[in-house]
């Protein structure tokens, strides 16, 4: 949520900052800005709307210099206006700052500063921080100490980069609760909230931890805590490549990522399935062998799509591993009194590894004694580092705001964890073999499901004028209904609701009429006959039924208005296939409605505020 880029070195900063912002735009895109320093003067450029508008501005009026900071915003405090766009500059015009996160005590600090005569320009909480730094700097004349003192005074979360006219070759960056990565080049440094903005320049990076601060300049990198205690940082190598962040001929990242799924599912399973297909090897779980063996309960949590994956995980853990499992919205977990019994395994699911609510939930359950495991895609992300053990998805960066390939890889990893836990208990070799053999075949079957694309596109053209849709599923496909509804909401702004199919008759059935497409997920599993009965109920009320069904199912063709067939598989794995046509349906409906698929309004890829 919001993207930060900073550069100091010998190259033209403006270009590097702008290219970085373009790569970060999926994190927030309602306004953007940059400031460079040239001959002691700030060159400040800001635009409301997309980064392209900033691009147009700097094409005419370039920001010169070899040092600068930039930001793309997802508004929290204050509308997406030019005044509210970052970078913010202090009253005296000497200190500039970009900020991700939220300053919770901004009102009291603002009143204090206003009483001291400081004049504010924006409505943002972020400006309070730069004004506070500027105010302290006026008093002390020591920039670094002023940044430290200001950061001690603020409550909330931040990832910041500070540039000061009086220190024309130095950037100061610090974090608490909002990610920052330092890229190490030849006599140059990059700072970003996200590896995607750095990878074009260097693969050598340092991840800042909470409460750390770095000075980047001619003397190299000095890392300390915010309280000035020295810290040792190690250099990591980025695993992503620039190519992975490009469109490579696809119209949108979302479509590209939908099509990447056969490969991403192969990658997520690579080296993890035993050749005899009776067990899995999850290297990332070796740190919690004891906890896995003693696990009495599991608690799965995440937000958005990751929460839907958790709901499917609940079926898998209970059925394959016989472990009582509960699922929580990460955002709700910490506001209850979560009772963590001895032997609880807490599994945090997050594509980005930075979602603030999921991270807060990790910290909460850790404090209460749970063993924590992360199912995360972004290597080196905060959740990956703060969980005691973890399994990376290894699917490359996911850039489309609507999650697709991360969802299916999360499901695949959850199947592997459930089998691993099951094999330590009562899951027989034969049953494990059947599941894992089938899991091996899933990427090919996903490839086959993707051949539905043209059919789905035609169907979307037929349906996308309708504003309200229902998605129904049972058992393990109930969360798929939730995910299908979320996908179409996110990218096409069609209102959709996902329900357990049987719940429809307890209220939502009142809405069904010929103008309400009803998407029913109806693979041939033990719920099949009941789902057919629900289809009949919709038909009797003139609803339009779009069924997602198993290839070769001729019965359903008689009942549904449209059928999208996916290959047969065992019921536990069917979400990996039934979700594919739903992703395509959301994508094509959005394109046909003229939506900006990769940058849907009001959303952000990585939500680092609570
Ligand atoms: C945002 C994204 C969703 C995502 C959710 C959780 O809302 O728009 O697509 O599912 O965050 O993100 P995470 O990175 O934790 O999986």
């Amino acid at each position: 949520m919001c993207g930060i880029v900073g550069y100091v070195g010998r190259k033209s900063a403006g270009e590097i900052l702008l290219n970085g912002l373009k790569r970060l735009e999926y994190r927030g895109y309602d306004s953007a800005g940059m400031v460079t320093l040239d001959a002691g003067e700030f060159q400040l450029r800001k635009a409301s709307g997309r980064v392209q508008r900033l691009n147009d501005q700097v094409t005419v009026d370039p920001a010169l210099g070899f040092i600068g900071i930039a930001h793309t915003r997802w508004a929290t405090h204050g509308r997406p206006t030019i005044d509210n766009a970052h970078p913010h500059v202090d009253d005296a015009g000497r200190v500039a700052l970009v900020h991700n996160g939220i300053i919770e005590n901004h009102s009291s600090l603002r009143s204090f500063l206003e009483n001291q005569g400081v004049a504010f320009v924006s409505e943002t909480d972020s400006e309070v921080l730069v004004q506070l730094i500027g105010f302290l700097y006026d008093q002390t004349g020591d920039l670094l100490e002023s940044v430290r003192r200001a950061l001690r005074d603020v409550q909330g979360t931040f990832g910041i980069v500070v540039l000061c006219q009086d220190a024309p070759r130095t950037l100061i960056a610090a974090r608490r609760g909002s990610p920052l990565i330092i890229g190490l080049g030849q006599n140059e440094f990059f700072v970003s909230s996200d590896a995607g903005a750095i990878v074009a320049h260097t693969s050598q990076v340092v991840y800042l931890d909470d409460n750390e601060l770095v000075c980047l300049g001619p003397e190299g990198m000095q890392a300390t805590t915010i309280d000035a205690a020295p810290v040792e940082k190690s250099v990591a190598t980025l695993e992503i490549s620039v190519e992975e962040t490009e469109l490579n001929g696809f119209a949108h990242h979302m479509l590209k990522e939908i099509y990447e799924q056969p490969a991403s599912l192969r990658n997520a399973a690579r080296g993890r399935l035993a050749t005899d297909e009776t067990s899995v090897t999850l290297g990332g779980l070796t740190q919690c062998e004891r906890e896995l063996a003693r696990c009495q309960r599991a608690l799965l949590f995440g937000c958005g799509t990751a929460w839907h994956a958790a709901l499917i995980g609940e079926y898998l853990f209970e059925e394959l591993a016989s472990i009582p499992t509960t699922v929580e919205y990460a955002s709700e977990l910490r506001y209850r009194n979560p009772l963590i019994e001895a032997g609880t395994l807490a599994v945090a699911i997050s594509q980005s590894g930075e979602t603030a609510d999921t991270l807060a939930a990790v910290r909460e359950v850790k404090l209460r004694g749970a063993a924590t495991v992360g199912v995360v895609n972004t290597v080196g992300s905060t959740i990956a580092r703060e969980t005691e053990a973890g399994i990376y998805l290894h699917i490359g960066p996911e850039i489309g705001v609507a999650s697709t390939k991360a969802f299916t890889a999360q499901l695949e990893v959850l199947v592997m964890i459930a089998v691993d836990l099951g094999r330590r208990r009562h899951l027989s070799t034969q049953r494990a073999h059947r599941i894992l053999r089938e899991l091996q075949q899933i990427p090919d079957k996903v490839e086959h499901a993707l051949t539905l694309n043209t059919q789905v596109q035609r169907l979307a053209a037929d349906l996308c004028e309708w504003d309200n849709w229902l998605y129904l599923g049972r058992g393990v496909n109930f969360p798929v209904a939730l995910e299908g509804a979320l996908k179409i909401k996110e990218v096409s702004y069609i209102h959709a609701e996902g329900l357990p199919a049987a719940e429809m008759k307890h209220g939502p059935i009142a809405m069904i009429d010929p103008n309400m497409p009803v998407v029913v997920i109806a693979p041939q599993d033990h719920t099949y006959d009941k789902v057919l009965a629900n289809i009949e109920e919709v038909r009797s009320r003139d609803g339009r039924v779009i069924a997602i069904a198993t290839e070769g199912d001729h019965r359903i063709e008689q009942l549904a208005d449209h059928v999208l067939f996916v290959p047969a598989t065992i019921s536990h794995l069917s979400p990996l296939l039934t979700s594919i046509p739903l992703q395509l349906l959301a994508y094509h409906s959005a394109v046909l409605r003229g939506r900006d698929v990769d940058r849907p309004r009001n959303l952000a890829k990585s939500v680092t505020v609570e």
Side-chain angles (χ1 to χ4, degrees), residues 302-307 349-356 358 383 398 400-403 406 410 483 486-487 490 603-607:
C303 299
T305 291
W307 180 71
I349 306 172
S350 174
Q351 186 287 127
S352 62
E354 301 293 351
T355 301
T358 311
I383 293 172
E398 187 182 67
V401 167
S403 186
Q410 284 159 353
E483 175 61 8
L486 176 67
K487 246 11 16 142
E490 281 180 304
L603 298 184
K605 180 70 181 160
S606 172
V607 180

Side-chain angles (χ1 to χ4, degrees), residues 473-488:
R474 278 181 188 254
V476 81
N477 277 295
F478 153 54
V480 175
L482 294 177
E483 175 61 8
L486 176 67
K487 246 11 16 142
I488 205 156

Side-chain angles (χ1 to χ4, degrees), residues 463-510:
L463 299 175
C464 72
E465 65 180 290
W466 307 113
D467 284 328
N468 291 292
W469 299 30
L470 269 189
Y471 284 69
L472 306 178
R474 278 181 188 254
V476 81
N477 277 295
F478 153 54
V480 175
L482 294 177
E483 175 61 8
L486 176 67
K487 246 11 16 142
I488 205 156
K489 269 189 280 211
E490 281 180 304
V491 292
S492 69
Y493 320 151
I494 287 170
H495 175 252
E497 204 180 327
L499 290 172
E503 281 298 304
M504 178 185 63
K505 56 185 171 294
H506 298 296
I509 200 165

Side-chain angles (χ1 to χ4, degrees), residues 543-577:
R544 289 159 163 258
V545 176
I546 301 97
I548 313 297
T550 309
E551 269 171 7
D553 178 357
H554 300 301
R555 212 168 135 200
I556 210 158
E557 281 178 314
Q558 315 302 316
L559 293 178
D561 297 276
H562 307 273
V563 187
L564 298 168
F565 287 112
V566 295
T569 186
I570 54 175
S571 74
H572 294 111
L573 304 188
S574 68
L576 285 156
L577 300 177

Side-chain angles (χ1 to χ4, degrees), residues 236-270:
T237 303
L238 285 180
E239 288 187 12
I240 58 167
S241 64
V242 187
E243 294 72 52
E244 284 175 306
T245 62
E246 315 254 300
L247 279 167
N248 296 336
F250 282 90
H252 297 99
H253 285 288
M254 181 178 178
L255 188 63
K256 176 182 172 228
E257 287 157 6
I258 291 173
Y259 269 88
E260 276 173 356
Q261 288 174 109
S264 60
L265 289 166
R266 285 185 191 107
N267 287 339
R270 182 157 295 130

Side-chain angles (χ1 to χ4, degrees), residues 262-337:
S264 60
L265 289 166
R266 285 185 191 107
N267 287 339
R270 182 157 295 130
R272 289 171 168 169
L273 303 184
T275 41
D276 64 357
E277 295 163 340
T278 57
S279 62
V280 294
T281 308
L282 300 169
L285 295 189
T286 43
Q287 294 94 318
C288 63
E289 280 293 327
R290 252 165 51 116
E291 288 80 2
L292 292 181
R294 292 179 184 176
C295 171
Q296 300 289 326
R297 288 197 152 271
L299 171 63
L300 310 183
F301 55 91
C303 299
T305 291
W307 180 71
H308 295 154
L311 288 174
I312 295 172
E314 182 180 15
Y315 288 87
L316 299 169
F317 277 40
E318 296 204 332
E319 289 179 22
L320 304 182
S322 306
I323 293 175
T325 303
T326 44
V327 175
E328 294 276 359
Y329 279 114
S331 55
E332 288 296 315
L333 187 66
R334 58 199 294 243
Y335 298 111
R336 296 196 299 106
N337 176 25

